[in-house]
Amino acid sequence: MPDLRLLHLTYAGSGKPTAHVAFNDAITVIYGASDTGKSFIVESIEYMLGGTSLTLIPEAEGYSQILLGLRLPDGNTLTLVRRPGSTTVQAHFADLRDLVTRTPDRNLTAVHTARSTRSLSMFLLGELGLGEVTIRKNEAGGTRALTLPDLTHLSVITETRMVDPLSPVLRSHASSTKTAATSVVKFLLTGDDDPVINTGPNAGQRRVNKGQITLLDQIVLDLTSKLTTQENETQLRQRLARIQTAIDSQSQSLRIITDRHVTAVTRRMQASQDLAALESRLTEVTDLLTRFRLLEQQYRSDLERLAMVSEAGSLLGFFRVGTCVFCGAQPEHQHPGHSARETTQLHEAVQAEAAKTTTLLTDLLPTINDLSSQLDDLRHRRQTLLQQASQLDTEINTAEQQLDPLRAHMDDLLAARSTIERELELHSRINELHERRSKLDGEAATESIRPAEYIPTRVLNTFDTVLRQTLEEWKVPAVDFAEYDQYAADIRAGSRPRAGRGKGVRSVLHSAFTTALARYCIDRNHPHPGFIVLDSPVVTYREPVGEDVDITGHVVDHFYRHLAAFPGQAIIIENGDPPADVLSTVTSYRFTGSEEGRSGFFPTVTAHHGAPGGE
């Protein structure tokens, strides 16, 4: 049968050193000090293969990606990338061992969904050729699809489950899960899944069936009372099509008028801005022109006064004999020509001032003329803009008057469409409930047929032989006549159930069952993932003879030497050192918990005792 191989487990994060272990195709041993992340490796593998949760240890803080490398049955490499706490799994058909930023080849979900190509479980089961396998889920013979966690539960064993009194077969103490769990083991041992057989309900299920039918009838009545029209689905859909046609036509008219309205509003806003700027300039020019005209009047007034001064000599007595009108000197004190000289100086001063004022006036007049021209132009432009704004206001008002009834009509059409869609939805729900009721009626009428549910004795005897050989190879005492009790779904050894033994024996029996099951399936080409991951399979075991002391060179050594010939892939997590002859033939990692050698799984390890998964 096709199988998988684990290539590596990697933790990556931005700005964090990569934490990485690579796995051998045959045997990989990770051993050493406690609280170095060994058990966390196993929990991470389980999480990456569809586990629902992972309790992070402090050393994992800041790591944003978990990468699990796989070799598929066809030889291609697959890297699964998952964020802690996320249900999304990115699949990359490449061997990636660092922070992944590329686009995934496929996005999968860790949540199992039967028949879904987006389910990680269905994807990997498909690669193993197990995508169509069904297992029995209840005593009545009902079936469900096989899931990836059904298989990893029997091949990836955490330290907690290793010593748990709960059977290695069962996934929980709930009795409702026992049938499915034993069915998975039956499938692996026989190679045959359970056929999909409609066995019909039992007495309790028939009572539930009847209650469901009654409830469905009540729901149908309630939904029917909410219908507001007597039209059937066909009539409603025909009316919906007519309304949709009217909506499409109305939408086109609304779009045309709305575009016209928007254009007019935009142009009106631009005209308002232009008019505001023009009014500002008009005020400025008017103010300047007023000031310059006042200045012109002042200049002209000055020239008139100077002309009057020039002509008033005789009237003011500038040429009379007597007291000088300029300096007040008496005639006897005046020099000859005194009056004539003063008159000439006055005349020249008047002429100079008049010339200067005339020049200023001459320079001012062109400016006044230019401002007057600008003022006329600005007034003309303002009038034009006012007319344009008035026209745009008219266009806007007209568009709004046209839009109001169209919008009101559109609202009516949309409300009508909503009502019909709601009616159709009610009809659809009523039809679904009728179909469900019909199905329940059919289930109630199905004849009850119980399929075979137990493993044939010859198959079970063959597996028990492999289990006993495994324990014998490990030299485990006091576990004679080990067997799988399919009725109790547990392991028995030494005439005692596994749950009634101590932690050490429970862990050894669990390890032996997992190893024997994998060996049995691989040797006979039966379905199996092809690998096992065992956390602390013999670390708690103590030899039950003499003083209660740790076994140092007995079961532990034989355990490792026997696994050296395991036909699949095995990953072993232990505290104690494996035998030297085994270390020389396997891939091994020794976590020291100190600065010497590799301290732990993560490059930097902060001492933390008692953290979950910290072994």
Side-chain angles (χ1 to χ4, degrees):
M1 286 292 292
D3 55 16
L4 300 172
R5 285 293 181 269
L6 304 179
L7 299 181
H8 68 89
L9 175 72
T10 302
Y11 270 70
S14 179
K16 301 286 289 185
T18 300
H20 174 79
V21 288
F23 305 121
N24 193 307
D25 277 358
I27 311 296
T28 303
V29 180
I30 303 173
Y31 66 102
S34 298
D35 293 331
T36 54
K38 300 191 305 297
S39 291
F40 187 66
I41 293 173
V42 181
E43 294 167 6
S44 297
I45 293 173
E46 183 182 50
Y47 180 69
M48 291 302 294
L49 292 174
T52 57
S53 63
L54 174 66
T55 301
L56 297 178
I57 60 177
E59 292 83 354
E61 183 177 352
Y63 287 89
S64 59
Q65 291 181 350
I66 312 173
L67 288 69
L68 181 67
L70 299 172
R71 188 168 64 248
L72 300 176
D74 59 8
N76 290 325
T77 300
L78 175 72
T79 301
L80 302 177
V81 181
R82 185 177 180 184
R83 290 182 174 274
S86 171
T87 59
T88 299
V89 180
Q90 297 180 357
H92 300 264
F93 292 103
D95 190 357
L96 307 178
R97 305 195 181 199
D98 205 341
L99 188 67
V100 178
T101 57
R102 57 180 268 179
T103 302
D105 296 309
R106 185 175 297 185
N107 280 314
L108 305 172
T109 175
V111 180
H112 174 79
T113 305
R115 312 294 180 186
S116 171
T117 57
R118 289 195 65 252
S119 167
L120 171 66
S121 175
M122 293 307 298
F123 171 71
L124 290 180
L125 288 177
E127 293 292 328
L128 291 169
L130 304 177
E132 302 296 327
V133 173
T134 56
I135 60 170
R136 196 161 48 89
K137 65 179 180 179
N138 55 42
E139 294 181 355
T143 57
R144 67 164 174 82
L146 179 72
T147 70
L148 185 62
D150 288 331
L151 300 181
T152 56
H153 174 76
L154 297 172
S155 59
V156 181
I157 315 301
T158 63
E159 182 181 19
T160 302
R161 287 187 49 228
M162 189 67 74
V163 299
D164 195 329
L166 183 67
S167 165
V169 173
L170 302 180
R171 298 180 63 177
S172 76
H173 291 278
S175 59
S176 60
T177 64
K178 179 179 177 180
T179 301
T182 55
S183 237
V184 174
V185 176
K186 174 177 173 286
F187 166 63
L188 295 181
L189 293 180
T190 63
D192 300 323
D193 62 344
D194 290 295
V196 178
I197 298 177
N198 189 351
T199 59
N202 54 31
Q205 290 171 327
R206 283 194 295 272
R207 287 194 297 272
V208 173
N209 185 288
K210 183 177 179 181
Q212 289 176 335
I213 291 175
T214 302
L215 178 61
L216 289 176
D217 288 341
Q218 184 60 49
I219 295 174
V220 168
L221 288 175
D222 291 343
L223 293 178
T224 303
S225 67
K226 295 179 181 180
L227 294 173
T228 60
T229 175
Q230 297 300 317
E231 294 174 290
N232 57 34
E233 278 191 84
T234 302
Q235 293 170 330
L236 286 171
R237 294 190 185 281
Q238 290 173 349
R239 187 150 67 94
L240 180 62
R242 291 194 298 271
I243 290 177
Q244 187 60 51
T245 301
I247 288 175
D248 293 340
S249 174
Q250 195 83 333
S251 297
Q252 181 67 17
S253 300
L254 273 171
R255 188 160 47 250
I256 293 172
I257 298 175
T258 300
D259 290 344
R260 190 189 310 158
H261 180 266
V262 170
T263 301
V265 169
T266 302
R267 292 177 58 197
R268 181 63 178 85
M269 291 174 61
Q270 185 61 47
S272 297
Q273 294 174 359
D274 293 343
L275 192 58
L278 186 62
E279 291 287 354
S280 176
R281 178 59 181 165
L282 190 61
T283 301
E284 180 183 350
V285 172
T286 301
D287 184 60
L288 285 174
L289 189 58
T290 300
R291 292 172 182 270
F292 287 169
R293 281 178 173 164
L294 288 175
L295 186 57
E296 178 192 8
Q297 293 175 7
Q298 184 64 44
Y299 287 162
R300 294 187 183 280
S301 176
D302 290 344
L303 289 174
E304 290 175 358
R305 286 197 298 272
L306 290 171
M308 290 175 61
V309 170
S310 179
E311 295 174 358
S314 57
L315 297 177
L316 295 175
F318 290 168
F319 306 108
R320 294 177 183 173
V321 178
T323 303
C324 178
V325 295
F326 297 102
C327 65
Q330 296 298 322
E332 63 270 20
H333 298 295
Q334 295 176 4
H335 298 288
H338 174 79
S339 178
R341 185 168 58 249
E342 295 297 336
T343 300
T344 300
Q345 290 176 349
L346 174 62
H347 179 70
E348 289 175 353
V350 170
Q351 290 296 322
E353 186 64 26
K356 177 181 177 182
T357 303
T358 300
T359 300
L360 292 173
L361 180 60
T362 302
D363 291 339
L364 180 63
L365 290 176
T367 302
I368 291 175
N369 291 334
D370 181 60
L371 288 173
S372 298
S373 177
Q374 288 187 41
L375 186 63
D376 292 340
D377 183 57
L378 290 171
R379 286 172 175 169
H380 177 71
R381 287 173 58 192
R382 181 178 64 178
Q383 187 62 31
T384 302
L385 284 173
L386 289 172
Q387 292 176 354
Q388 181 182 357
S390 177
Q391 292 174 356
L392 290 172
D393 288 338
T394 301
E395 290 183 22
I396 292 171
N397 290 334
T398 301
E400 289 177 347
Q401 291 173 2
Q402 293 173 339
L403 283 173
D404 288 342
L406 287 175
R407 285 171 175 163
H409 189 206
M410 177 63 82
D411 289 342
D412 293 341
L413 290 173
L414 292 175
R417 184 178 69 178
S418 247
T419 300
I420 294 175
E421 288 175 342
R422 187 165 54 253
E423 294 280 306
L424 287 172
E425 182 180 356
L426 287 173
H427 277 288
S428 176
R429 291 178 62 189
I430 290 171
N431 290 338
E432 289 176 1
L433 292 173
H434 279 308
E435 290 178 4
R436 177 59 183 158
R437 189 188 190 287
S438 176
K439 184 177 179 181
L440 289 173
D441 284 337
E443 289 176 353
T446 302
E447 183 179 356
S448 177
I449 302 174
R450 181 180 295 277
E453 56 183 288
Y454 295 115
I455 304 170
T457 302
R458 60 177 180 79
V459 174
L460 198 58
N461 288 339
T462 303
F463 171 71
D464 288 344
T465 300
V466 177
L467 176 62
R468 292 167 193 161
Q469 289 173 348
T470 299
L471 290 168
E472 289 172 3
E473 291 285 344
W474 295 359
K475 307 298 181 184
V476 182
V479 289
D480 299 333
F481 205 72
E483 63 179 354
Y484 169 55
D485 184 348
Q486 65 174 327
Y487 302 101
D490 202 355
I491 307 300
R492 296 181 62 86
S495 302
R496 295 168 61 185
R498 174 181 169 275
R501 310 300 292 262
K503 288 184 179 180
V505 176
R506 288 204 300 267
S507 66
V508 170
L509 289 177
H510 197 150
S511 302
F513 173 78
T514 302
T515 305
L517 181 62
R519 183 183 292 274
Y520 176 93
C521 293
I522 294 171
D523 288 346
R524 289 159 181 77
N525 203 28
H526 281 195
H528 192 274
F531 60 84
I532 59 174
V533 183
L534 304 177
D535 186 3
S536 305
V538 292
V539 70
T540 58
Y541 183 80
R542 294 175 184 267
E543 192 171 7
V545 292
E547 293 187 11
D548 194 15
V549 297
D550 287 333
I551 291 182
T552 57
H554 187 60
V555 172
V556 175
D557 291 354
H558 289 292
F559 164 78
Y560 279 111
R561 290 178 182 131
H562 179 251
L563 276 182
F566 182 67
Q569 182 185 33
I571 300 171
I572 311 301
I573 309 295
E574 272 291 1
N575 282 359
D577 294 359
D581 59 317
V582 173
L583 283 177
S584 63
T585 62
V586 301
T587 297
S588 64
Y589 294 90
R590 181 173 180 268
F591 294 165
T592 64
S594 64
E595 296 181 357
E596 294 183 6
R598 179 167 178 175
S599 61
F601 174 58
F602 290 97
T604 301
V605 177
T606 302
H608 182 78
H609 300 285
E615 277 296 313

